[in-house]
Amino acid sequence: MRMIFVNLPIKNLAASKAFFGALGFSFNPDFSDDKTTCMIIEENIFAMLMEEDRFKDFINNGISDATKSQEVLIALSAASKEEVDETLAKALAAGGKEWKPIQNYEGFMYGCSFQDIDGHVWELVHMIPQG
């Protein structure tokens, strides 16, 4: 069984935990310390949120400024249109920023995108099965 760990640089650990906690995510203390937290997305999917000085220990070059250019789009599935809308509302209320307008492809896909407090883009997509 594979697991995925998305590693993201952050400015402030407490602020990031508060932001993602407001979206309903939890954290694994076994893989967390005073500069890093392991955010649980699903059973085998995690985001390692690392303060920038800790993140630098894992890279050979500079950290991208996600508020000015995109290094990655993180897309998560959603069970319904309502979940997309509710999560977007929580993200905006917790300090995130709307990134692109709602995408509504009737009968196929419904989604949103927002930037977290460090500028990383998160997308939520409800895919409607065809056939």
Side-chain angles (χ1 to χ4, degrees):
M1 165 178 46
R2 290 193 185 263
M3 299 165 70
I4 186 169
F5 293 86
V6 176
N7 298 278
L8 297 173
I10 58 170
K11 302 253 185 253
N12 181 290
L13 183 62
S16 289
K17 285 181 75 173
F19 176 82
F20 287 107
L23 273 63
F25 291 103
S26 60
F27 306 91
N28 183 337
D30 293 336
F31 299 114
S32 301
D33 60 28
D34 62 332
K35 293 185 181 252
T36 304
T37 192
C38 177
M39 183 175 80
I40 302 166
I41 296 173
E42 273 293 323
E43 181 180 0
N44 294 314
I45 305 171
F46 308 91
M48 298 300 294
L49 308 175
M50 293 183 245
E51 287 190 354
E52 289 181 347
D53 60 330
R54 179 68 174 130
F55 188 81
K56 288 178 183 176
D57 292 339
F58 295 91
I59 62 174
N60 293 331
N61 50 12
I63 295 174
S64 297
D65 182 346
T67 64
K68 295 180 181 175
S69 62
Q70 301 321 126
E71 79 283 31
V72 66
L73 298 174
I74 305 159
L76 302 175
S77 62
S80 66
K81 288 181 174 182
E82 293 77 21
E83 182 182 357
V84 169
D85 292 338
E86 289 168 6
T87 304
L88 176 60
K90 289 177 186 176
L92 298 178
K97 295 178 184 172
E98 196 167 354
W99 193 61
K100 284 192 170 186
I102 293 285
Q103 296 179 1
N104 188 359
Y105 300 100
E106 284 296 328
F108 169 65
M109 181 179 77
Y110 182 84
C112 73
S113 55
F114 62 87
Q115 288 182 301
D116 67 23
I117 59 174
D118 289 290
H120 305 291
V121 175
W122 295 79
E123 297 182 317
L124 291 167
V125 180
H126 172 62
M127 301 292 287
I128 302 161
Q130 302 296 301

